[in-house]
């Protein structure tokens, strides 16, 4: 298959409303069953099965088997990056007249997961704090953790060398945030920071959405450990 044909195939798969709903539903990094994804997309089980098969064959999804159950997840961070980019393009343009949004929209803008890293005001604020303190250098397409940043992460219990080897992916890169319109931190270190926040109870998921809330202890720890001020 030529590159153009492959491009068209991926675009067509992602462009279907039902499949787009499924892909968007997997952006929090979890793996879901076919029935859960069918409910999310508002389609029948048969239609969902067809969608999932096509997206798996195209390399957009991966399947994990546990006993009798099959769980579907995004195949790679590259797929998540593609979806986030499409979401950014699809977001309404900012107009002079403010648009009133519901609580869920406000929660997503405040903080959410973008595949396996943090996004929204929370993710951008963490990134800004690391850059301002000289712990992180971010370019247009790549980034670097400075010596002081490595020391900071080591004190926080995040082993930079270990996650680089274990995850086998780029250490850090910018990911343009579709709601803040500024970069948040992605890559292996972005994923490690997100896991660290969940594991320590600094953030928790808001049920039924990608949004996360910061706990009172999380507010304090983020401020004291990483210099993040969310007020």
């Amino acid at each position: 298959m030529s590159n153009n044909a492959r491009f068209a195939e991926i675009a067509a798969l992602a462009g279907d409303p039902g499949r787009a709903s499924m892909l968007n539903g997997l952006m929090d990094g979890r793996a879901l069953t076919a029935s859960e994804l069918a409910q999310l997309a508002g389609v029948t089980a048969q239609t969902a099965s067809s969608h999932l098969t096509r997206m798996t064959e195209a390399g957009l999804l991966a399947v994990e088997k546990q006993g009798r159950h099959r769980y579907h997840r995004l195949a790679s961070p590259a797929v998540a990056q593609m979806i986030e980019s499409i979401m950014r393009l699809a977001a309404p343009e900012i107009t002079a007249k403010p648009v009133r949004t519901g609580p869920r929209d406000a929660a997503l803008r405040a903080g959410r997961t973008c595949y396996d890293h943090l996004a929204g005001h929370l993710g951008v604020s963490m990134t800004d704090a690391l850059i301002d303190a000289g712990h992180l250098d971010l370019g247009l397409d790549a980034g670097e953790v400075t010596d002081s940043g490595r020391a900071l992460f080591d004190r926080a219990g995040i082993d930079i060398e270990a996650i680089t080897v274990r995850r086998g992916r780029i250490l850090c890169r910018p990911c343009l945030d579709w709601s803040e319109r500024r970069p948040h931190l992605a890559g292996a270190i972005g994923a490690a920071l997100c896991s660290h926040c969940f594991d320590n109870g600094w953030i928790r998921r808001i049920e039924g959405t990608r949004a996360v809330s910061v706990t009172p202890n999380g507010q304090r720890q983020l401020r004291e450990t990483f210099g993040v001020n969310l007020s």
Side-chain angles (χ1 to χ4, degrees):
M1 182 181 295
S2 69
N3 288 340
N4 285 341
R6 174 70 172 160
F7 179 90
E9 178 192 22
I10 296 298
L13 286 171
D16 175 85
R19 291 192 288 268
S21 295
M22 292 179 173
L23 292 169
N24 190 25
L26 294 170
M27 278 291 287
D28 61 3
R30 292 180 298 170
L32 300 178
T33 65
S35 59
E36 290 170 333
L37 289 167
Q39 183 178 13
L40 188 67
V43 298
T44 66
Q46 183 177 5
T47 298
S49 177
S50 174
H51 285 337
L52 293 170
T53 296
R54 292 183 63 186
M55 288 192 289
T56 300
E57 291 175 347
L60 295 177
L61 299 181
V63 181
E64 298 177 0
K65 297 180 181 179
Q66 289 188 9
R68 295 179 301 169
H69 300 286
R70 291 164 57 90
Y71 296 91
H72 304 265
R73 60 174 176 80
L74 297 183
S76 69
V79 177
Q81 186 177 2
M82 177 193 75
I83 297 168
E84 182 77 5
S85 297
I86 295 173
M87 291 169 64
R88 188 168 65 248
L89 289 171
E93 292 297 324
I94 298 175
T95 60
K97 184 179 179 180
V99 178
R100 181 176 298 175
T101 59
R104 177 170 291 185
D105 289 331
L108 283 169
R109 290 179 179 277
R112 64 184 182 275
T113 52
C114 174
Y115 186 51
D116 60 359
H117 54 272
L118 294 171
H121 180 65
L122 171 61
V124 170
S125 295
M126 291 184 69
T127 303
D128 285 347
L130 291 169
I131 293 173
D132 291 344
H135 301 315
L136 184 69
D137 286 328
L138 278 187
L140 292 176
D141 300 309
E144 181 182 2
V145 179
T146 65
D147 290 340
S148 68
R150 289 176 181 271
L152 172 69
F153 291 127
D154 185 63
R155 291 194 300 272
I158 300 175
D159 189 333
I160 296 289
E161 301 302 329
I163 64 173
T164 303
V165 174
R166 183 173 67 252
R167 293 177 184 269
R169 58 193 281 198
I170 188 170
L171 179 61
C172 69
R173 64 170 179 83
C175 180
L176 187 59
D177 196 281
W178 68 267
S179 57
E180 294 288 309
R181 306 299 174 95
R182 295 171 52 227
H184 58 244
L185 182 61
I189 189 62
L193 270 173
C194 182
S195 296
H196 189 77
C197 290
F198 275 122
D199 293 344
N200 287 281
W202 297 355
I203 60 175
R204 58 170 63 104
R205 293 190 188 279
I206 297 176
E207 186 176 357
T209 176
R210 284 199 288 145
V212 300
S213 62
V214 183
T215 65
N217 181 51
Q219 293 260 7
R220 183 175 62 256
Q221 294 295 336
L222 287 172
R223 182 175 61 253
E224 295 176 356
T225 306
F226 299 105
V228 180
N229 188 351
L230 296 174
S231 60

